[in-house]
């Protein structure tokens, strides 16, 4: 393995359940967390629906994988960028999303928010700063 | 330059595998290195040796296999995605007590770590999907 | 760092093209391929969007145009037609590839 540390961005643009992309993308994030790269996730377009709170799949016979997002902090994945315009277009605010947190080792394990709402332009700059962008 | 290729869709339904093939072939012809081709989601379907397209259609699986043969390509099918979709090699058949295998011998089944490693080791990741 | 953004979906069916256009910065490049080539056609609702992107280079994959019966004359002025080798060159030239699948 190379010693080089890269900036990895997972670009999530699809809603959950209708297709498997969101779930299998999350599986890549979990495996990738073991690789010591600098990881962040972007939720854009219908991707914002992936982290909506109150998901209950009991009526459709599919696994509810949304609790896994809450575990990302334990995997040291705590930069979750959510695009403001994508939320607004869908009539959502950050209050409609799950409250995702992580514990900062450097600040005596203080609990911090993982979700950062960013503008479209800010997200464009975030994308520009990456070494690798994964799309699913 | 070193490339990694990720393919998210199966053969025939989407153009993704065709585009990825043409890109990979062009990259190799230009003297670039392709570190790995990683098949994910329904893309694992590109690895079945049982594909039988009509005579006048391209054989997507064999075409990949021939390119791999010529250029010693590492073609990896994601194990988790493969298990869900019934792509099986000898090892998987034994582990999961299956009575048949269908993976083309030019492909291999391995973990998602192979995708991450490819992205780390390569200078460019190019994703083909729907 | 400048990116090569790729769009492979028709802008009339999916949001990939619009989403891509919302996230490109000056100095980057956009390659339209597969059904994405329809965004490179003159006289469509997309033409204004392509022309108004400042400092962004646009490319379209020739083999996908040809397959769909779109003649080169119908491609928006300033959009460069490339083949797969040209796609590879762009991927190598820009710092990374961002796929708006």
């Amino acid at each position: 393995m190379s010693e080089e540390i890269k900036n990895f961005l997972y670009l999530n643009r699809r809603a959950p359940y209708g297709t498997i992309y969101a779930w299998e993308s999350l599986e890549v994030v979990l495996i990738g967390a073991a690789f010591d790269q600098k990881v962040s996730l972007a939720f854009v377009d219908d991707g914002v629906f992936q982290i909506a709170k109150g998901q209950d799949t009991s009526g459709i016979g599919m696994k509810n994988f949304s609790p896994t997002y809450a575990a990302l902090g334990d995997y040291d994945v705590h930069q979750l960028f959510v695009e403001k315009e994508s939320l607004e277009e869908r009539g959502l605010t950050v209050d409609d999303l799950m409250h995702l947190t992580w514990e900062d080792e450097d600040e005596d394990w203080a609990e911090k928010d993982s979700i950062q709402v960013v503008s479209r332009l800010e997200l464009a700059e975030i994308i520009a700063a990456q070494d690798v962008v994964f799309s699913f | 330059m070193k490339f990694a290729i990720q393919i998210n869709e199966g053969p025939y339904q989407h153009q993704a595998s065709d585009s990825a093939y043409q890109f990979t072939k062009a990259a190799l012809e230009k003297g670039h290195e392709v570190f790995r081709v990683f098949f994910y989601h329904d893309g694992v379907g590109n690895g079945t040796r049982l594909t039988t397209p009509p005579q006048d259609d391209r054989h997507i699986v064999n075409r990949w296999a021939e390119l791999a043969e010529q250029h010693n390509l590492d073609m990896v099918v994601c194990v988790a995605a493969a298990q869900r979709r019934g792509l099986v090699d000898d090892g998987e058949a034994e582990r999961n007590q299956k009575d048949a295998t269908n993976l083309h011998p030019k492909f291999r089944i391995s973990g998602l770590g192979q995708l991450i490693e490819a992205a780390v080791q390569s200078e460019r990741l190019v994703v083909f999907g729907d | 760092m400048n990116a090569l953004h790729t769009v492979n979906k028709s802008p009339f069916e999916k949001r990939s093209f619009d989403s891509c256009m919302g996230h490109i910065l000056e100095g980057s490049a956009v390659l339209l391929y597969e059904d994405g080539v329809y965004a490179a056609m003159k006289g469509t609702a997309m033409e204004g969007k392509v022309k108004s992107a400042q400092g962004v280079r646009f490319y379209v994959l020739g083999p996908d145009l040809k397959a769909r019966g779109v003649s080169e004359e119908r491609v928006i002025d300033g959009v460069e037609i490339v083949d797969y080798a040209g796609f590879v060159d762009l991927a190598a030239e820009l710092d990374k590839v961002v796929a708006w699948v």
Side-chain angles (χ1 to χ4, degrees):
Chain A
M1 289 295 296
S2 155
E3 296 301 307
E4 186 190 359
I5 292 187
K6 290 186 172 180
N7 291 304
F8 276 17
L9 178 75
Y10 295 90
L11 184 56
N12 297 294
R13 295 181 48 245
R14 312 209 203 225
Y17 311 117
T19 58
I20 200 171
Y21 300 107
W23 184 2
E24 286 190 332
S25 161
L26 194 52
E27 290 185 334
V28 181
V29 175
L30 295 175
I31 298 289
F35 277 75
D36 287 332
Q37 307 297 313
K38 203 168 168 293
V39 171
S40 52
L41 276 63
F43 296 90
V44 188
D45 298 338
D46 282 351
V48 299
F49 290 128
Q50 291 181 20
I51 48 174
K53 65 182 174 194
Q55 295 178 38
D56 177 358
T57 58
S58 55
I60 61 171
M62 292 171 79
K63 178 176 156 179
N64 180 356
F65 60 92
S66 65
T68 309
Y69 292 98
L72 287 176
D74 301 334
Y75 285 82
D76 213 21
V77 175
H78 51 77
Q79 280 208 303
L80 274 57
F81 301 110
V82 178
E83 189 177 84
K84 185 170 165 281
E85 287 85 343
S86 294
L87 285 175
E88 288 170 359
E89 284 162 6
R90 288 158 183 79
L92 302 176
T93 70
V94 75
D95 294 333
D96 295 305
L97 306 179
M98 292 184 283
H99 186 215
L100 304 176
T101 59
W102 62 291
E103 292 174 342
D104 191 345
E105 190 179 346
D106 298 333
E107 290 186 23
D108 198 23
W109 305 99
E111 190 177 271
K112 295 184 175 179
D113 283 339
S114 297
I115 290 178
Q116 297 174 56
V117 177
V118 296
S119 72
R120 188 159 285 165
L121 179 60
E122 285 170 323
L123 192 66
E125 284 159 356
I126 289 164
I127 291 171
Q130 302 303 315
D131 296 306
V132 180
V133 177
F134 289 94
S135 307
F136 300 97
Chain B
M1 180 163 280
K2 207 185 284 186
F3 285 94
I5 309 292
Q6 178 190 327
I7 300 172
N8 293 343
E9 301 298 335
Y12 303 104
Q13 181 84 11
H14 297 277
Q15 201 184 338
S17 181
D18 292 275
S19 295
Y21 171 81
Q22 301 294 351
F23 181 94
T24 303
K25 189 165 163 278
L28 292 166
E29 281 166 2
K30 289 183 84 77
H32 294 297
E33 181 187 342
V34 174
F35 180 80
R36 181 169 295 145
V37 182
F38 191 86
F39 297 87
Y40 197 42
H41 302 301
D42 279 358
V44 298
N46 287 287
T48 171
R49 64 182 173 82
L50 301 181
T51 301
T52 315
Q55 292 256 318
D56 60 350
D57 199 356
R58 78 259 188 242
H59 196 304
I60 293 181
V61 179
N62 287 355
R63 203 169 57 175
W64 274 115
E66 284 153 21
L67 196 66
E69 174 72 33
Q70 284 162 24
H71 297 275
N72 208 15
L73 268 185
D74 185 23
M75 303 200 297
V76 176
V77 169
C78 168
V79 63
Q83 284 174 340
R84 283 192 178 112
R85 294 161 178 89
L87 257 285
V88 181
D89 65 1
D90 290 340
E92 284 296 303
E94 198 177 317
R95 254 188 302 282
N96 302 302
Q97 287 96 50
K98 301 294 178 191
D99 60 5
T101 63
N102 57 353
L103 192 79
H104 191 288
K106 284 291 164 195
F107 294 74
R108 64 185 180 93
I109 292 181
S110 190
L112 275 172
Q114 299 275 304
L115 171 62
I116 306 292
E117 189 208 15
V120 172
Q121 297 290 336
S122 305
E123 292 158 279
R124 297 289 182 276
L125 171 72
V126 188
V127 181
F128 294 89
D130 175 42
Chain C
M1 291 195 293
N2 295 323
L4 172 66
H5 297 265
T6 64
V7 176
N8 66 322
K9 287 289 155 284
S10 166
F12 305 106
E13 189 201 355
K14 304 242 173 131
R15 295 218 8 103
S16 315
F17 175 74
D18 280 330
S19 206
C20 168
M21 294 297 281
H23 297 92
I24 47 175
L25 299 177
E26 210 174 303
S28 55
V30 177
L31 173 75
L32 304 165
Y33 76 108
E34 297 180 4
D35 290 348
V37 300
Y38 296 122
M41 285 173 69
K42 260 184 214 164
T44 64
M46 303 304 140
E47 185 170 6
K49 295 180 186 182
V50 169
K51 285 187 166 166
S52 62
Q54 297 291 317
V56 178
R57 292 176 287 154
F58 283 85
Y59 299 87
V60 62
L61 196 72
D64 277 325
L65 278 177
K66 201 173 158 190
R68 289 160 179 78
V70 181
S71 67
E72 297 192 359
E73 296 76 53
R74 298 197 67 171
V75 171
I76 298 166
D77 297 333
V79 175
E80 194 181 320
I81 300 167
V82 295
D83 57 7
Y84 287 103
F87 185 175
V88 172
D89 289 343
L90 286 168
E93 179 208 327
L94 281 297
D95 301 306
K96 63 173 162 287
V97 184
V98 181
W100 295 88
V101 289

